[in-house]
Amino acid sequence: MARYLVTGGAGFIGSHLVDHLVEAGHEVVVLDNLSTGARFNLPPQVDLVQGDIAEFENLPALIARVNGCFHLAAIASVQQYQEGWAKAAKVNFYGSVRVLEAAARANVPVVYASSAAIYGNNPLQPLIETTMSRPISGYGVDKLAMEHHAEALKTTIGLRATGLRFFNVYGPRQVPGSPYSGVISIFLNRLAAGQPITVFGDGEQARDFVYVSDVAGALMRAMSWTAAGNCGVFNICRGEAITLNDLIRVLAGVLECAPEIRYEESRAGDIRISLGSSVAAAERLGFTGNVALEEGLRYTADWARKSSQ
Ligand SMILES: NC(=O)c1ccc[n+]([C@@H]2O[C@H](COP(=O)([O-])OP(=O)(O)OC[C@H]3O[C@@H](n4cnc5c(N)ncnc54)[C@H](O)[C@@H]3O)[C@@H](O)[C@H]2O)c1
């Protein structure tokens, strides 16, 4: 049994990871400011320290007491940079550097959440880890900066760190109420309520969706790999992209409804096609995205139905 810190553990992906860690018999401490996360996402035995990664003074002491740190806390939204660039960067850039530095100094392995946003609108698809990064959003820039800091801290202080470039993660507990949330949770919520769906752009933008429990499994695999002295950066995706128009058709089939779609102008920082290759993660971490899209959508729709009752 080990003791792990999960920053952002009360959020969507973090809380699924916490469930997996607890189920495997590990002790878990969560550091979260509950800006988008919630206590009710966490099992009762998990310690929640409420604090901000950019400000929490005892962060080094907290990290020094664990066997590994999963760093997921972030303002997980491209659009929020449009509303407050420096405010978002304070968390995603400065806060992340604080976490990485504390882990490096305490010799604690870290697995951190990077993003497919680091690739920007790169036309070379499928994206592999060595594809040139060209972020077109502040969010993507700060995720890429985190990867560079992890690498530099490895060289200078010996940090063991692995970054996972998540593509579009979906599943239960993704908050549908926020305009910053994942597209599947927003569409599901609106379709289930019989409301029209707004699509920004022509709907032909494509995404590589990966189910949240597969992502939690990838995080755990990456921790074992990193604790054993390895470092790296991996795509976490299924290697299959679907357009938003097709996604809506599949969702409508799952929910057995006829969607009304409204098209609006595309948003700044939106990426046209995001298709990853998961070959490296499969070979090095043993990761596979087992849950097929339609199956994952059914699980998510079931959860949404139950949680609205
Ligand atoms: N969901 C996706 O499709 C996706 C894709 C790529 C990368 N990611 C990354 O994965 C991670 C988790 O994302 P998520 O989808 O679960 O989002 P989320 O918003 O549900 O989770 C983020 C968590 O971090 C917490 N948090 C935010 N700012 C904080 C701060 N300053 N200090 C402490 N805690 C703070 C929030 O309260 C929340 O619990 C993020 O780093 C995100 O950038 C997510």
Side-chain angles (χ1 to χ4, degrees):
M1 191 189 90
R3 185 175 153 86
Y4 290 109
L5 173 66
V6 182
T7 75
F12 163 50
I13 300 172
S15 64
H16 284 272
L17 169 65
V18 169
D19 286 346
H20 278 61
L21 289 168
V22 168
E23 218 175 279
H26 300 301
E27 200 183 321
V28 180
V29 185
V30 164
L31 173 64
D32 200 300
N33 69 355
L34 302 185
S35 53
T36 55
R39 180 65 177 102
F40 61 70
N41 283 338
L42 295 170
Q45 69 269 41
V46 165
D47 261 357
L48 169 67
V49 177
Q50 204 173 327
D52 187 320
I53 52 163
E55 287 168 8
F56 184 61
E57 269 184 35
N58 288 335
L59 184 68
L62 197 62
I63 289 184
R65 288 200 299 269
V66 295
N67 303 102
C69 170
F70 294 92
H71 173 45
L72 282 88
I75 294 188
S77 157
V78 168
Q79 275 72 40
Q80 281 206 16
Y81 278 74
Q82 298 300 118
E83 289 159 28
W85 207 280
K87 196 174 158 203
K90 184 180 171 194
V91 176
N92 291 356
F93 174 68
Y94 174 68
S96 293
V97 171
R98 284 190 84 218
V99 171
L100 294 176
E101 181 183 0
R105 298 202 185 280
N107 191 24
V108 166
V110 184
V111 175
Y112 60 92
S114 183
S115 168
I118 66 108
Y119 294 112
N121 254 331
N122 199 317
L124 296 172
Q125 310 265 341
L127 299 157
I128 56 173
E129 287 77 355
T130 49
T131 305
M132 195 203 274
S133 45
R134 291 184 187 168
I136 56 167
S137 61
Y139 175 75
V141 169
D142 286 339
K143 288 293 187 186
L144 183 60
M146 179 165 49
E147 293 186 5
H148 287 308
H149 276 282
E151 183 63 29
L153 282 162
K154 173 187 156 195
T155 312
T156 53
I157 311 186
L159 174 67
R160 288 171 288 159
T162 296
L164 299 184
R165 294 174 178 169
F166 301 151
F167 280 59
N168 284 68
V169 187
Y170 72 100
R173 297 192 199 136
Q174 197 164 28
V175 182
S178 155
Y180 310 118
S181 192
V183 70
I184 287 181
S185 66
I186 295 173
F187 285 0
L188 253 179
N189 194 42
R190 295 191 68 84
L191 286 176
Q195 293 167 337
I197 290 180
T198 303
V199 170
F200 296 99
D202 61 4
E204 287 304 298
Q205 59 270 53
R207 296 288 180 270
D208 189 334
F209 290 100
V210 56
Y211 190 66
V212 67
S213 63
D214 285 338
V215 171
L219 284 156
M220 291 182 63
R221 285 173 181 275
M223 180 55 80
S224 306
W225 197 75
T226 311
N230 304 295
C231 300
V233 175
F234 297 99
N235 289 341
I236 298 299
C237 57
R238 294 193 73 241
E240 289 171 17
I242 183 170
T243 65
L244 293 194
N245 288 329
D246 284 341
L247 171 70
I248 293 167
R249 271 178 224 123
V250 179
L251 266 175
V254 167
L255 296 174
E256 296 177 353
C257 65
E260 184 191 332
I261 310 169
R262 291 180 186 163
Y263 292 92
E264 285 185 14
E265 217 170 288
S266 56
R267 296 180 299 191
D270 262 359
I271 286 166
R272 188 73 184 158
I273 297 176
S274 179
L275 166 65
S277 159
S278 57
V279 170
E283 283 177 3
R284 313 283 280 279
L285 305 179
F287 163 77
T288 42
N290 289 317
V291 179
L293 182 63
E294 195 168 335
E295 187 187 2
L297 291 177
R298 285 190 194 284
Y299 297 151
T300 313
D302 284 349
W303 168 82
R305 211 172 291 124
K306 281 185 200 130
S307 58
S308 69
Q309 280 163 6

